[in-house]
Amino acid sequence: MDPGFKVFAPASVANVACGYDILGFALDKPGDEIIARTSNTPGLRITKITGSQKKLPYEVEKNTAGFAALKLLEHLGEEKRGVEMEIHKKMPFGSGLGSSAASAAGAVMAINELMGRPLTKRELLPFAVLGEQVADGSYHADNVAPSLLGGMIFIRDNASLDVHRLPFIRGLRVAVVYPHIEILTRDSRNILSDQVTLNNTIQQTGNLGGLIVGLYNGNFDLISRSLNDVIIEPQRAQLIPHFYQVKEAALKEGAMGCSISGAGPSIFALCHNSLEAENAGQAMQKTFIDNGIECDLFLSSINQEGAFLC
Ligand code: HSE
């Protein structure tokens, strides 16, 4: 049998406090693995899904990885080609770590390899975003783009996928805690008010600009002052028990900033170095555990590579 290609696509932290739907960065781990190989049966089929507590659909059109792969095959005029795909979920679903995005990113990269790599990673992005859209109904690339391309990504406009990689600062580390509560992105989006005050808009755009300038200049204090979300976090914090206590624990350890990862319930802290990330991570994890909530801790750099062939 054709062994095919296996791709690892990493988890990601979307929003990064002040960039709802327009900022995200990739983590080293966890992540999903996607295998694509040729088959004698015409058409795309999902033949295996492992590692998901939730029953994910085998129907290609209903599956984030399947739909992304299908759209790419259609674009390449290869939708009749026999292709089978395996999805190995290695990260929690509904965690705020971009699980569906990682599957979609991994799928398009694995299919692209199988087809002889006709497209660049950047050209694969629209197909992966279409896959992610199956999960929550909206077209945003703040998880998919970093998972596929790596780095910290700023999206000026989601519709046209005007995406830009922000500078890498050596030494920056991230602690992410995942409390074992499931929040569906769709639900977490639905609670948001579509009204934003002028004052909050001014503050949030100031923070977004500050974060970007801080990354370009390597100005940690500016990054730290800018990692504040005055619009989304106050609305979503209620979904995560003890959120403010956990945030306080990270900031007490010196973290540059701490906020909800994507739609939650995971919480990330951006840190000056790995020791601070360990201390902040352990303090956040302990706060959840002391409150009777099981919780995993992930320590990571900002992964510059994104999805890769393994
Ligand atoms: N920007 C998205 C949100 C990320 O916060 O809803 C999760 O898909």
Side-chain angles (χ1 to χ4, degrees):
M1 187 171 63
D2 161 27
F5 293 91
K6 178 159 90 173
V7 170
F8 172 85
S12 52
V13 168
N15 302 339
V16 198
C18 52
Y20 178 68
D21 276 359
I22 56 169
L23 266 184
F25 62 78
L27 297 172
D28 295 329
K29 57 180 179 4
D32 287 349
E33 285 173 4
I34 306 286
I35 297 172
R37 64 172 74 86
T38 51
S39 142
N40 292 329
T41 313
L44 172 67
R45 287 174 310 135
I46 298 170
T47 52
K48 201 175 199 178
I49 303 177
T50 66
S52 169
Q53 283 85 3
K54 190 177 178 280
K55 228 178 149 353
L56 294 176
Y58 274 78
E59 294 100 302
V60 165
E61 281 87 353
K62 292 190 182 151
N63 184 293
T64 56
F67 193 69
L70 181 66
K71 288 288 136 190
L72 173 60
L73 286 165
E74 283 173 3
H75 172 78
L76 298 173
E78 297 279 11
E79 64 275 24
K80 298 260 159 51
R81 177 92 78 101
V83 174
E84 55 182 57
M85 201 162 74
E86 294 182 12
I87 302 166
H88 301 283
K89 300 294 298 176
K90 307 243 162 147
M91 70 164 116
F93 187 85
S95 60
L97 293 171
S99 170
S100 48
S103 292
V108 292
M109 186 159 168
I111 296 289
N112 194 47
E113 290 297 326
L114 192 66
M115 297 295 134
R117 209 182 294 167
L119 300 186
T120 63
K121 259 187 171 187
R122 174 63 187 83
E123 288 167 337
L124 294 173
L125 185 59
F127 308 101
V129 182
L130 283 172
E132 160 82 322
Q133 194 179 15
V134 172
D136 70 17
S138 42
Y139 192 83
H140 55 95
D142 51 340
N143 284 114
V144 171
S147 182
L148 182 64
L149 308 172
M152 170 104 67
I153 303 279
F154 166 62
I155 304 152
R156 191 204 57 83
D157 176 56
N158 275 293
S160 59
L161 290 178
D162 189 359
V163 303
H164 302 270
R165 179 189 284 258
L166 297 174
F168 166 64
I169 301 183
R170 194 173 294 281
L172 274 194
R173 286 288 188 284
V174 195
V176 185
V177 285
Y178 160 54
H180 294 192
I181 312 158
E182 187 182 314
I183 298 180
L184 292 181
T185 301
R186 205 181 278 269
D187 299 340
S188 186
R189 293 177 81 81
N190 282 344
I191 64 154
L192 298 176
S193 164
D194 53 9
Q195 304 293 314
V196 181
T197 65
L198 182 58
N199 199 31
N200 279 350
T201 307
I202 293 166
Q203 279 194 46
Q204 196 88 343
T205 47
N207 285 335
L208 177 63
L211 176 58
I212 293 173
V213 172
L215 287 167
Y216 270 94
N217 293 343
N219 183 336
F220 282 16
D221 288 341
L222 178 56
I223 294 173
S224 185
R225 290 199 300 281
S226 305
L227 282 171
N228 267 315
D229 174 3
V230 298
I231 296 176
I232 306 297
E233 183 185 291
Q235 299 181 69
R236 283 179 168 170
Q238 44 155 331
L239 300 175
I240 308 169
H242 316 291
F243 169 75
Y244 287 110
Q245 217 184 322
V246 172
K247 178 170 173 162
E248 177 72 32
L251 296 179
K252 233 174 160 176
E253 295 296 334
M256 298 164 86
C258 175
S259 188
I260 301 169
S261 174
S266 292
I267 300 172
F268 79 95
L270 195 64
C271 299
H272 298 83
N273 55 54
S274 58
L275 180 60
E276 185 180 282
E278 271 171 46
N279 292 339
Q282 280 162 14
M284 293 195 288
Q285 186 178 36
K286 183 173 182 307
T287 308
F288 273 124
I289 290 171
D290 287 351
N291 283 292
I293 297 173
E294 264 188 75
C295 170
D296 298 325
L297 167 63
F298 301 104
L299 297 171
S300 178
S301 58
I302 295 181
N303 169 351
Q304 296 300 305
E305 189 178 8
F308 64 87
L309 203 56
C310 52

